[in-house]
């Protein structure tokens, strides 16, 4: 049933769909499930080439059993504000983690990012992350270093001089800019190749097209990121005289 846990029969249908090279969205449509459910199920259990229905079903049963044993102790599932359902939040955090993994992040880095994004403060200490994710401090340290290198998190110190790891709106902008600028080396190398191989030759023309393509993509990404940032930081200020009057960030 949609919204419930996957059955063994559904997992067999997923395996059959993967064997037929169906897209996740098509498998989800046939099962009347969200695409994210199929993506998470396959990513967790061997990927599209290694997925086995019986092994996936057994692994899920084992995870459920372990969760039931550890949930009463609950350091990784703190009380939820705003009347949120703790299990629904935990499941969503796993879904978000899977999305980050699908986009290319290693599992631990994706778990740390998913944990941070599902907190209202958007910040946690290394100890808090280790407790919530039930992993070692060394694993957290490695993940933090990796995420910082991609500009996906930043550090700050709180009033108790503890290091906190933070996600905020501006980090996505910084990450996109860094990613776009990574194309510069490719553009420069391709342009260098044009001179070496001889302008007008087939190889040089190919490299020239590579340079033009990536140069255009880089400029477009940076321009789009800057425009999106302006939209993101545009606030609507309501007043008694004009409740719809917008106020722009200065």
């Amino acid at each position: 049933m949609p919204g419930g846990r996957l059955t063994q029969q559904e997992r067999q249908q997923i395996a059959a769909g993967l064997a037929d090279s169906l897209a996740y969205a098509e498998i989800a449509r046939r099962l009347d499930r969200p695409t994210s459910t199929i993506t998470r199920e396959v990513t967790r259990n061997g990927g599209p080439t290694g997925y086995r229905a019986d092994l996936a079903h057994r692994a899920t049963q084992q995870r459920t059993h372990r969760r039931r044993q550890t949930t009463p102790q609950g350091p990784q599932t703190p009380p939820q504000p705003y009347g949120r359902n703790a299990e629904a939040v935990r499941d969503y955090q796993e879904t978000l983690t899977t999305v980050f993994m699908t986009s290319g992040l290693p599992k631990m880095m994706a778990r740390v990012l998913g944990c941070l994004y599902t907190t209202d403060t958007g910040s946690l200490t290394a100890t808090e992350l280790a407790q919530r994710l039930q992993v070692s401090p060394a694993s957290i340290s490695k993940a933090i270093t990796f995420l910082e290198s991609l500009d996906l998190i930043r550090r700050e110190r709180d009033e108790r001089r503890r290091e906190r790891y933070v996600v905020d709106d501006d980090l996505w902008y910084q990450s996109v800019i860094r990613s776009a600028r990574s194309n510069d080396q490719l553009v420069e190398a391709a342009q260098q190749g044009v001179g070496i191989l001889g302008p007008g030759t087939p190889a040089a023309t190919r490299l020239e097209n590579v340079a033009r393509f990536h140069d255009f993509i880089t400029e477009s990404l940076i321009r789009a990121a800057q425009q999106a940032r302006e939209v993101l930081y545009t606030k609507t200020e309501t007043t008694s005289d004009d409740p719809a009057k917008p106020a722009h960030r200065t």
Side-chain angles (χ1 to χ4, degrees):
M1 67 184 247
R5 297 190 180 278
L6 289 168
T7 65
Q8 189 164 16
Q9 183 179 5
E10 285 178 315
R11 290 190 166 94
Q12 290 170 348
Q13 291 177 265
I14 291 173
L18 293 172
D20 291 338
S21 300
L22 297 181
Y24 291 163
E26 176 60 20
I27 296 174
R29 187 188 67 78
R30 295 186 181 191
L31 293 178
D32 193 22
R33 292 278 191 171
T35 302
S36 61
T37 297
I38 307 305
T39 302
R40 180 174 61 184
E41 168 71 12
V42 175
T43 302
R44 267 185 180 175
N45 296 289
T49 59
Y51 184 82
R52 299 292 182 273
D54 53 343
L55 295 179
H57 195 68
R58 187 179 303 115
T60 300
Q61 289 178 322
Q62 290 173 346
R63 282 195 296 266
T64 301
H65 180 68
R66 288 197 300 268
R67 180 181 296 172
R68 286 172 179 168
Q69 287 182 322
T70 59
T71 296
Q73 300 172 10
Q76 72 275 32
T77 53
Q80 292 294 322
Y82 304 107
R84 294 170 182 149
N85 181 286
E87 184 176 358
V89 171
R90 183 171 56 247
D91 287 344
Y92 171 71
Q93 186 174 317
E94 291 182 2
T95 297
L96 190 59
T97 296
T98 301
V99 171
F100 287 144
M101 290 172 62
T102 303
S103 70
L105 284 180
K107 184 175 181 179
M108 181 51 62
M109 291 63 174
R111 291 187 69 200
V112 168
L113 205 58
C115 189
L116 285 168
Y117 268 99
T118 50
T119 61
D120 287 302
T121 59
S123 74
L124 293 168
T125 65
T127 299
E128 290 168 338
L129 281 166
Q131 289 175 342
R132 289 177 182 232
L133 298 177
Q134 294 291 280
V135 297
S136 68
S139 297
I140 297 298
S141 178
K142 182 178 179 181
I144 290 297
T145 300
F146 183 88
L147 292 169
E148 277 189 306
S149 73
L150 297 178
D151 294 323
L152 291 175
I153 64 170
R154 62 180 174 82
R155 299 177 189 234
E156 65 179 28
R157 288 192 178 275
D158 60 19
E159 66 281 357
R160 296 170 57 184
R161 305 299 297 168
R162 298 177 304 177
E163 275 197 340
R164 302 189 70 84
Y165 306 106
V166 182
V167 291
D168 60 26
D169 296 333
D170 204 49
L171 285 167
W172 283 111
Y173 169 78
Q174 299 294 342
S175 181
V176 168
I177 295 298
R178 187 200 64 80
S179 178
R181 288 300 184 195
S182 68
N183 285 329
D184 289 347
Q185 284 186 315
L186 177 57
V187 171
E188 184 179 344
Q191 290 171 338
Q192 182 182 4
V194 172
I196 294 173
L197 297 169
T201 64
T205 299
R206 187 181 305 113
L207 285 171
E208 186 176 11
N209 288 337
V210 168
R212 291 171 58 197
F213 177 83
H214 283 280
D215 192 43
F216 180 82
I217 290 295
T218 297
E219 290 185 8
S220 299
L221 275 174
I222 292 173
R223 184 163 55 249
Q226 290 171 340
Q227 291 171 347
R229 190 189 198 194
E230 288 301 315
V231 171
L232 186 64
Y233 285 120
T234 298
K235 307 297 183 182
T236 300
E237 184 181 77
T238 58
T239 64
S240 56
D241 294 333
D242 187 1
K245 182 180 178 181
H248 295 279
R249 183 174 179 256
T250 56

